[in-house]
Amino acid sequence: MKRIRIEPAWSFTDEAGNRLDPQLFGLLQGIHRSGKLTEAAAEAGISYRHAWNLLNKWADFFGAALVEMQKGRGARLSPLGDKLLWARQRVAARLGPQLESLGSELNLELQQLFEGVEPVLRMHASHGYAVALLPRFASDFQLDLQYCSPQEALAALNRGACDVAGYHMPTSATHGPLMQGYRRQLRPRSHCIIRFITRCQGLMVRPGNPKGIAGLADLSRGDVRFINRQKASGTRALLDILLRDAGLSSQRIPGFELEEYTHSAVAAYIAAGMADVGFGVEAAAHQFGLAFLPLAQEHYLLVCQRRSLADPSVKRLLEMIRSEPFLQAVSELPGYSPNRCGEVCSVDELFGEAQGD
């Protein structure tokens, strides 16, 4: 069955009804990446002449140039072109998980209209690059993937609102509010753990690290602007642990109150020049051309009821995440490792290993 995706789109119009051509953003992205209009036009699938016409048309629309041409030095985005491109990137990064969740609901509703309905697996999970791969590889079962915070995912599992919950925890932390919260929601007698991936989190900084940021202590400098994750996120909880262990106060970090809702949204915020540093996964830094300073490793884990291991949908999920194509896709994500992906263990075994790390 075909799957429907929901994607955000810009719509600029003037009083005459002129509408911004979506091809323009592809052209701006290509110019930003290559610095050459010829290459950007080819990437966008349009002729060089059409590319020029687009740039001139929308320069007239906005009343300012989108690209600056330099003889012998190619092309570069003007301040307006740069703002348009990164604003679009930020919108897509911020809204992406919500639209994916809505798309999952829509696909499930469409599936139920047809005969021969496949088994449905309801998964509530913290958003991440590896989790986002799951719908692409799901076959012979319908994956209803809803993004939420780790605590919300575990609460949904405990009230029967989902079959599998996804959350992440530091590889070395064995105490503190985060781990206490997980211990309260994980039930050793009825739950089992499905190992998924390990990923690296750290500081994302602007290309070339112009502020010379070397670690968490630099976040409190007056010349450094920080962009944070929302309070309910597991990434925010991990940052709080690292700050606490380093004896650093979040109140002294400029921008700590500013929040974005995904790793990619934080990275896009920095790439747009609106902040100097943020905390997130290496894959997000790589996606937006940022430098990355690794600080911590964490496990991303899936949880289900022990009796659910016999369900057809859970069996197919395990087969999928153990498959070579899926493992290869995870391995290609910067900072991600699929080591032991698909192994099943008990809650007690998981925390026993954590105590031993």
Side-chain angles (χ1 to χ4, degrees):
M1 178 180 172
K2 295 184 180 295
R3 292 183 56 84
I4 293 176
R5 295 179 60 188
I6 304 174
E7 297 180 349
W10 283 86
S11 179
F12 279 108
T13 58
D14 61 12
E15 62 277 4
N18 297 312
R19 188 177 298 274
L20 188 65
D21 192 329
Q23 284 186 324
L24 178 65
F25 288 109
L27 187 61
L28 295 177
Q29 178 66 51
I31 293 171
H32 172 76
R33 181 168 43 247
S34 68
K36 297 180 180 179
L37 184 56
T38 51
E39 291 187 16
E43 289 181 16
I46 59 179
S47 69
Y48 182 81
R49 181 175 181 177
H50 184 45
W52 258 120
N53 289 337
L54 271 179
L55 294 175
N56 289 330
K57 176 180 179 179
W58 296 109
D60 291 341
F61 179 88
F62 287 106
L66 278 66
V67 173
E68 297 171 352
M69 302 296 294
Q70 298 177 311
K71 189 174 182 179
R73 299 178 61 184
R76 70 176 184 180
L77 298 183
S78 70
L80 173 60
D82 195 59
K83 287 296 182 184
L84 284 175
L85 176 61
W86 290 114
R88 179 179 182 271
Q89 296 277 32
R90 288 178 56 218
V91 168
R94 181 181 293 178
L95 298 181
Q98 298 176 47
L99 295 180
E100 288 175 27
S101 293
L102 290 172
S104 182
E105 291 179 5
L106 176 59
N107 284 311
L108 181 60
E109 292 173 3
L110 293 176
Q111 168 88 25
Q112 292 173 343
L113 293 176
F114 296 88
E115 294 183 3
V117 175
E118 297 173 341
V120 175
L121 179 71
R122 301 170 302 163
M123 178 183 292
H124 288 204
S126 175
H127 185 265
Y129 283 74
V131 175
L133 292 174
L134 292 174
R136 186 200 312 175
F137 290 88
S139 62
D140 299 325
F141 73 100
Q142 181 72 24
L143 178 63
D144 180 18
L145 176 57
Q146 300 295 314
Y147 290 122
C148 58
S149 73
Q151 296 288 355
E152 289 171 337
L154 292 172
L157 178 67
N158 285 326
R159 66 173 183 270
C162 68
D163 306 304
V164 175
Y167 76 104
H168 44 100
M169 56 181 263
T171 58
S172 57
T174 59
H175 59 282
L178 176 64
M179 300 302 287
Q180 291 172 4
Y182 286 158
R183 285 180 180 273
R184 282 194 296 269
Q185 298 205 65
L186 292 172
R187 301 171 180 173
R189 292 185 179 180
S190 57
H191 288 163
C192 63
I193 305 294
I194 301 172
R195 300 184 191 276
F196 189 47
I197 55 93
T198 302
R199 66 186 187 182
C200 183
Q201 295 233 49
L203 296 178
M204 299 182 283
V205 300
R206 296 173 69 183
N209 194 7
K211 296 288 186 175
I213 296 168
L216 291 174
D218 290 318
L219 301 184
S220 59
R221 285 167 34 192
D223 66 330
V224 172
R225 297 169 299 165
F226 184 71
I227 177 64
N228 209 351
R229 285 291 305 278
Q230 78 276 22
K231 292 181 180 179
S233 69
T235 293
R236 173 67 170 271
L238 174 59
L239 176 61
D240 289 342
I241 290 173
L242 296 177
L243 291 174
R244 181 195 66 203
D245 292 347
L248 300 172
S249 171
S250 61
Q251 296 180 352
R252 299 185 61 185
I253 299 176
F256 197 83
E257 72 283 358
L258 301 176
E259 299 178 348
E260 282 287 357
Y261 285 79
T262 65
H263 294 282
S264 54
V266 169
Y269 199 95
I270 299 166
M274 300 175 68
D276 302 301
V277 58
F279 186 73
V281 296
E282 184 176 356
H286 184 269
Q287 179 185 357
F288 287 90
L290 304 177
F292 182 76
L293 287 67
L295 292 179
Q297 293 283 328
E298 64 177 4
H299 297 302
Y300 195 113
L301 304 163
L302 306 178
V303 189
C304 69
Q305 299 288 347
R306 190 179 302 276
R307 62 178 181 273
S308 297
L309 291 175
D311 293 346
S313 58
V314 175
K315 287 183 176 180
R316 291 171 186 174
L317 172 68
L318 289 171
E319 291 173 359
M320 180 185 75
I321 65 175
R322 292 167 180 168
S323 70
E324 187 57 35
F326 182 78
L327 296 176
Q328 180 62 34
V330 172
S331 298
E332 292 172 0
L333 295 172
Y336 277 70
S337 169
N339 185 37
R340 304 178 72 179
C341 184
E343 286 188 15
V344 178
C345 72
S346 69
V347 173
D348 289 337
E349 287 174 330
L350 176 68
F351 283 106
E353 290 179 10
Q355 293 284 356
D357 285 341

